[in-house]
Amino acid sequence: MVLSAPGKVILHGEHAVVHGKVALAVALDLRTFLRLRPSGEGRVCVRLPGVGVVRSWDTPRLQALRRGFAGGQKKSL
């Protein structure tokens, strides 16, 4: 599955919107893409080659972290 979203620039008022004020935003002719594909490795991987980032996590550890958030407990990875 491939998802994409358009780029944007907020020219004025980015933080002001949290206080109910207006902001001026414009769309850019750029897009961000996310490709999701299954992996038999039991891991979730994030690769951002444009900025040199590669991270991965074991699925069971992420599931334990999720249960910890749902139960109000903090667990570290």
Side-chain angles (χ1 to χ4, degrees):
M1 173 188 311
V2 176
L3 307 167
S4 74
K8 69 175 179 179
V9 172
I10 300 176
L11 299 174
H12 177 73
E14 180 173 7
H15 185 69
V17 297
V18 299
H19 300 289
K21 306 297 182 188
V22 297
L24 177 59
V26 295
L28 298 177
D29 191 20
L30 299 170
R31 296 194 75 80
T32 298
F33 291 90
L34 173 66
R35 179 178 63 180
L36 301 173
R37 60 183 171 162
S39 170
E41 301 171 3
R43 298 182 68 74
V44 173
C45 298
V46 174
R47 293 179 181 90
L48 305 171
V51 292
V53 172
V54 177
R55 300 283 188 270
S56 64
W57 301 269
D58 292 322
T59 304
R61 291 181 71 178
L62 290 174
Q63 290 169 337
L65 181 65
R66 181 176 156 204
R67 285 191 299 274
F69 282 124
Q73 302 170 4
K74 291 185 179 179
K75 293 188 178 184
S76 61
L77 286 177

